[in-house]
Amino acid sequence: MAKLVVLTQSMAGRSCDLASERTTIGRIEENNFQISEPSVSSRHCEILLRGNDIVVKDLGSTNGTFINGERITEEGVLKPGQTLRLGNVELKLDGPGAPAPASGSTPAPAPAAPGPKKEAAKAAPGGVRMSELEGGNRTVVIDTSVFTKKKPSKALYFWIAAAVAFLVIVILILVLISKVHSSE
């Protein structure tokens, strides 16, 4: 049975068996294989089993889907031993015909095929599309313990002092006016 094995060091060793005809991969829990990494889109791609072929279909991901360094725009065939990159995360397809790693060693990424220049991975901050925001079915929990009461700014003290000065001036003017009237 074919399976995808994560090569990226922070998640190395995680894998997903490709037992069903359709496997979705992405950042959110609703996917068959969740990869919680900011450069991976919420619904990044899907793996389809079509006869003996393993087809990777990009689902409009923000940071792209690559097979051996070549970006796929719609879909591409992934063969055993090839590297699949989703954003900044690399995976390798293990299965029949894939080169086996030496015992006691971790799988090494397959060398990139000669040809077009690799496109650098671009991680979008947050990596969320507008269409994903419109669903609004996520629960947001805000920890309010980190917020503190704002201290009065210097501007507030300035306006208080200005108001007091204004009142003092008005009172002095009234006192002067009353003395002028009383002396007449």
Side-chain angles (χ1 to χ4, degrees), residues 42-156:
S42 297
R43 289 181 26 89
H44 200 99
C45 69
E46 63 183 0
I47 310 295
L48 306 167
L49 302 180
R50 291 187 186 154
N52 290 332
D53 288 338
I54 296 175
V55 178
V56 179
K57 183 178 179 184
D58 186 80
L59 298 174
S61 64
T62 304
N63 296 313
T65 302
F66 301 80
I67 295 177
N68 274 3
E70 293 185 40
R71 186 176 190 141
I72 59 170
T73 53
E74 290 182 20
E75 55 184 50
V77 176
L78 182 65
K79 297 184 182 346
Q82 288 187 321
T83 303
L84 174 66
R85 182 165 48 97
L86 311 175
N88 293 332
V89 177
E90 286 198 345
L91 304 100
K92 179 181 172 187
L93 178 62
D94 281 346
S103 61
S105 67
T106 57
K117 184 179 175 184
K118 276 184 157 183
E119 183 176 321
K122 297 176 221 156
V128 179
R129 292 179 289 188
M130 288 301 293
S131 61
E132 295 167 353
L133 293 174
E134 292 168 358
N137 59 356
R138 290 188 186 174
T139 304
V140 178
V141 178
I142 299 173
D143 181 13
T144 57
S145 66
V146 296
F147 298 107
T148 59
K149 186 174 180 181
K150 187 176 177 181
K151 295 179 182 174
S153 65
K154 292 179 182 178
L156 177 65

